[in-house]
Structure formats: C-alpha cells, structure tokens
Amino acid sequence: LSVEVKSPDTLSERIEVIKRRTQFDNKDQEFLEFWNKQDLKIRRKILRARKKLDEINSSEQILEKCAALCMALGADGLRGELTLLRAAKAQAALENKNSIETEQLRKVATICMGHRLRKDPLDEVGSTVRVEKKVEETLSK
C-alpha cells in the first residue's frame, strides 16, 4: 500500500496543523488527553476488525471488479488484485461488514494501485487522479 502525502491547501487547514503541532510540542495536557482518547477509540476499532477479518466474504462480482479495475489500469501480474482484495477485506472488517462491497474497493483503490501504474512522463496528472478516474469508469458499471 502507498499513500500520497500532500500539504494542506487551505489557510484554515494550515493554521489548524500549526496550532496542533504547537500544542503537541508544548505537551499541552488537554490536547494530549483528547488525542489519547481518540487513539484508544481507533485502537479498539482495529482490534475488533482483526477478529472479524476471517469472517469477511468476497463475491464473484467483487473478484470481477478487482480484476477489471487492475486490467483497466494496466497493472502487471496479479499482485494488484490480491492487494486490492486484501485491503478491501480489511476495510470491510473495519466497517463491521460481513462481505466486501464495491464501496470498500473504492475506498482502498488509490492506496493499493497508485504506485503500481506504469509511469508516463507526458502525463501531467498524478497516479492518484488516474486511479480515481478508472475507479469511477470501472466500478460504476
């Protein structure tokens, strides 16, 4: 999996990041307690999802969508499909679903496939945009 890290592009987001970082650096107790509680919530959710992971099913239709998306993106081999399916399964477990749905494929596609694309030196849009475009074309059918 791969993520694209970008700087905030609005003034308010940038200011919020600066404020939070300053509170962290100053070891602001209220700030640390708030985020510790948030971390605990996420940790519990992940632990629940881990237990549910083996129960998640994937239909033939989902397998077809994985393969169709990877083919549309020109991904070599089958690692793209396998990664996409595993990540969608984890996303479904995190959402407390019983099976993978198209929505989970949509949510994980860019982190699974963005770095698997062949580089086109003439293409001005990033891989994330290319994947998002193919996701819309392929998974909307």
Side-chain angles (χ1 to χ4, degrees):
L1 303 179
S2 174
V3 295
E4 194 173 310
V5 178
K6 298 179 185 177
S7 295
D9 56 1
T10 68
L11 185 62
S12 61
E13 287 175 317
R14 293 177 85 91
I15 290 170
E16 184 62 26
V17 170
I18 294 165
K19 285 179 179 179
R20 288 184 187 185
R21 181 57 203 220
T22 302
Q23 287 178 304
F24 177 79
D25 289 342
N26 292 337
K27 295 181 177 35
D28 179 280
Q29 201 56 41
E30 188 177 315
F31 173 84
L32 296 174
E33 287 175 13
F34 173 80
W35 289 107
N36 191 33
K37 288 176 187 174
Q38 298 304 313
D39 287 348
L40 275 172
K41 286 180 188 177
I42 293 168
R43 194 173 298 129
R44 285 189 200 112
K45 192 173 181 179
I46 290 170
L47 291 173
R48 275 195 307 270
R50 277 186 182 167
K51 289 178 185 174
K52 187 171 180 68
L53 202 56
D54 291 335
E55 301 169 17
I56 305 296
N57 299 309
S58 56
S59 67
E60 189 75 21
Q61 182 185 21
I62 289 298
L63 297 177
E64 288 174 10
K65 288 182 179 196
C66 285
L69 178 59
C70 290
M71 289 172 63
L73 289 166
D76 291 327
L78 297 172
R79 291 174 80 188
E81 284 92 338
L82 295 170
T83 301
L84 187 58
L85 191 61
R86 287 179 187 136
K89 186 176 183 178
Q91 182 67 40
L94 194 65
E95 296 175 8
N96 203 27
K97 304 280 185 185
N98 294 321
S99 60
I100 300 170
E101 299 167 4
T102 304
E103 190 55 35
Q104 284 81 45
L105 293 178
R106 287 179 186 281
K107 287 180 179 178
V108 301
T110 55
I111 63 172
C112 293
M113 301 305 298
H115 64 289
R116 297 188 180 280
L117 302 184
R118 292 185 193 111
K119 304 296 181 219
D120 181 355
L122 301 176
D123 191 359
E124 292 183 15
V125 298
S127 59
T128 300
V129 173
R130 289 169 52 201
V131 172
E132 288 170 350
K133 197 172 179 183
K134 289 296 181 187
V135 164
E136 279 309 307
E137 291 171 10
T138 308
L139 299 183
S140 296
K141 296 175 183 177

